[in-house]
Amino acid sequence: MAKAAVLGYGVVGSGTVELFYKNAEAIRKRTGQKDLDIKYILDIREFPDSPYKDKFTKNFDDILNDDEVSIVAEVMGGVHPAYDFVKAALEKGKSCVTSNKEMVAQKGAELLKIAKEHNCNFMFEASTGGAIPIIRPLHQCLAANDITAVAGILNGTTNFILTKMFSENMAFDDALALAQKLGYAEKNPAADVEGLDACRKICILSSLIYGKHVYPDYIHTEGITAITKADVEYAEVWGGKVKLIGSVKKCANGKILPMVRPAFVCNDMQLSNISDVFNGITVYGDGFDEVMFYGRGAGKLPTASAVLGDVIDCARLSGTSVSQTWEDSENADFIEDYKNDTVAMYVRTSGADKAQIEKLFGNVEYLVKDNAPEGEIAFITPELVEKDFDEKLSALNGEVLGKIRVLNLR
């Protein structure tokens, strides 16, 4: 007999309950658990008109102390009290699944260790790609390969904003306001537009692929607030688009380089063609070269789908999954300094001199667009070590109006 509890009845929590009962017969068949059911829903609010009103509790101890409950789905968000509830449940031998990327990015190594010690599971497919299956393929389907890099559009809000800037010539502020109006962006959009959401997701992917916990403060993170219409227009002239990219790659020295930043992505890359609120994740490896995962990265039922996928796995397993795990890390000595990376850069300047540009950077590619202000020069540099690029840029006369890395993971 397997009973489940859902912690939180917001967008994802209500979607999880709704989708479970919509497909309950199929879910039970796939788990082999004929009595699998949701016994509790934890929320401090009242839901007197809900068809599930008899399942609500405001006391987590009801769930913790009920031996029938073997699976807990945490969909509250934030670190506390979600972490405290999940930790307590794991210590009781109850498997836990979550959509909570912030908690996994901060506490994943610890919670995986506790799950192993108590012969249960901690799963988090919904924390990174929403409905896009990426965690399970990485530790199961692609496990025989040496994963050399992962790069993705991991945040639908920023992708929507950049799409509107590209396709409808919107300014950043106008595109953000539209995203908020449509419910894609929060009133305080910082987690999205400053890159924090994508950072948490690349933490999880990096940790799973390379086996050591990558904490958010290990990752150089830039958002999209400095991107202008001019930058997007120059990207089109160059033959690509601006996207917020979260990535990690293995370096020749054995270290890894995780990073979140806006990037020029050429139209030959599949990531360039992902628009609006959709997400995409490209994985590079020695046995398959390149595969891509694409779909909605958020939303009520898409995220609920991933949560319930983990619930099904937990119901099937009789012990801890040996493949979905990583070790903790005490420092960032296995993380490469992003300034040591070799990268081509887009630069937009005013009042610079072409002769000096070419003397500093060598054979650059100039970009020319209609209606550019007088004295504005935009160019793409050859690939340079980023710290060397910074030195050269600091010596350039004129005003630097913008700079964006060109995506290259090979």
Side-chain angles (χ1 to χ4, degrees):
M1 180 182 294
K3 302 296 183 186
V6 176
L7 310 186
Y9 198 64
V11 172
V12 178
S14 61
T16 299
V17 175
E18 176 185 337
L19 192 61
F20 176 86
Y21 284 108
K22 180 176 183 291
N23 298 322
E25 184 177 349
I27 290 170
R28 289 170 182 141
K29 184 177 180 179
R30 287 165 187 156
T31 62
Q33 300 278 354
K34 295 181 180 179
D35 297 320
L36 179 62
D37 197 7
I38 295 173
K39 188 170 183 179
Y40 297 101
I41 304 169
L42 179 73
D43 204 291
I44 60 172
R45 295 168 295 172
E46 301 283 349
F47 296 91
D49 299 324
S50 170
Y52 315 111
K53 60 185 178 183
D54 294 339
K55 298 179 181 293
F56 281 91
T57 179
K58 297 179 182 180
N59 188 352
F60 176 68
D61 287 341
D62 291 341
I63 296 166
L64 189 64
N65 297 323
D66 189 332
D67 292 337
E68 279 195 329
V69 175
S70 59
I71 304 169
V72 174
E74 184 279 309
V75 287
M76 303 168 65
V79 177
H80 296 285
Y83 158 74
D84 308 282
F85 291 165
V86 169
K87 180 181 178 183
L90 292 171
E91 289 172 341
K92 279 271 193 173
K94 302 177 190 292
S95 290
C96 294
V97 310
T98 186
S99 60
N100 188 340
K101 52 193 164 286
E102 185 177 6
M103 181 181 70
V104 181
Q106 292 283 1
K107 303 291 186 178
E110 178 188 354
L111 294 173
L112 285 164
K113 183 173 183 289
I114 293 170
K116 184 177 181 180
E117 289 171 347
H118 293 84
N119 199 35
C120 56
N121 283 283
F122 176 57
M123 294 187 172
F124 38 85
E125 181 68 70
S127 68
T128 302
I132 305 172
I134 184 63
I135 300 295
R136 195 169 287 104
L138 284 172
H139 76 89
Q140 292 183 7
C141 310
L142 306 178
N145 298 272
D146 179 23
I147 306 298
T148 55
V150 173
I153 296 168
L154 302 173
N155 181 272
T157 300
T158 52
N159 202 45
F160 175 85
I161 291 169
L162 291 170
T163 298
K164 291 300 179 183
M165 292 176 71
F166 180 85
S167 63
E168 299 183 23
N169 199 32
M170 283 190 178
F172 171 82
D173 289 341
D174 294 334
L176 172 57
L178 179 60
Q180 290 172 318
K181 180 181 178 180
L182 294 174
Y184 299 147
E186 301 288 343
K187 184 176 181 180
N188 179 358
D192 294 320
V193 299
E194 298 293 351
L196 304 179
D197 177 79
C199 174
R200 292 161 185 158
K201 293 173 179 176
I202 207 65
C203 283
I204 297 167
L205 294 176
S206 302
S207 301
L208 182 64
I209 295 166
Y210 299 112
K212 293 186 74 172
H213 194 107
V214 177
Y215 287 95
D217 58 2
Y218 293 178
I219 296 182
H220 177 72
T221 300
E222 299 175 18
I224 65 168
T225 55
I227 304 299
T228 68
K229 289 195 295 184
D231 299 324
V232 172
E233 290 165 357
Y234 278 118
E236 184 175 18
V237 169
W238 172 73
K241 299 179 181 70
V242 181
K243 299 291 184 182
L244 182 69
I245 300 293
S247 68
V248 59
K249 66 180 180 180
K250 183 183 289 186
C251 303
N253 61 7
K255 294 184 178 184
I256 64 171
L257 177 54
M259 193 173 181
V260 175
R261 75 291 192 192
F264 269 32
V265 181
C266 71
N267 287 332
D268 291 339
M269 299 183 75
Q270 295 180 74
L271 290 175
S272 176
N273 299 312
I274 295 174
S275 301
D276 295 318
V277 294
F278 284 84
N279 287 183
I281 304 170
T282 304
V283 182
Y284 301 88
D286 60 349
F288 55 84
D289 186 38
E290 176 183 339
V291 294
M292 185 173 187
F293 301 85
Y294 166 81
R296 290 189 178 274
K300 180 178 181 176
L301 294 181
T303 306
S305 170
V307 170
L308 288 172
D310 281 347
V311 169
I312 290 170
D313 265 7
C314 287
R316 285 172 173 165
L317 289 166
S318 58
T320 306
S321 169
V322 296
S323 60
Q324 184 170 307
T325 189
W326 59 75
E327 298 177 355
D328 205 350
S329 59
E330 296 180 355
N331 54 56
D333 60 2
F334 64 104
I335 305 292
E336 181 60 272
D337 184 346
Y338 76 98
K339 290 292 186 181
N340 293 330
D341 193 27
T342 300
V343 63
M345 300 285 288
Y346 152 83
V347 181
R348 181 165 59 93
T349 67
S350 178
D353 177 74
K354 284 190 174 181
Q356 189 194 26
I357 289 172
E358 292 164 15
K359 182 178 179 180
L360 287 169
F361 297 103
N363 187 24
V364 301
E365 176 188 356
Y366 290 106
L367 306 176
V368 179
K369 74 178 185 72
D370 295 336
N371 302 317
E374 185 177 351
E376 182 172 277
I377 300 175
F379 58 93
I380 305 287
T381 73
E383 289 192 341
L384 299 165
V385 175
E386 186 160 339
K387 62 184 177 183
D388 295 337
F389 164 81
D390 289 345
E391 291 181 7
K392 294 176 184 294
L393 191 65
S394 66
L396 183 66
N397 294 330
E399 180 184 2
V400 176
L401 303 175
K403 60 176 183 175
I404 301 173
R405 297 168 185 84
V406 176
L407 183 62
N408 180 9
L409 292 167
R410 296 296 191 172

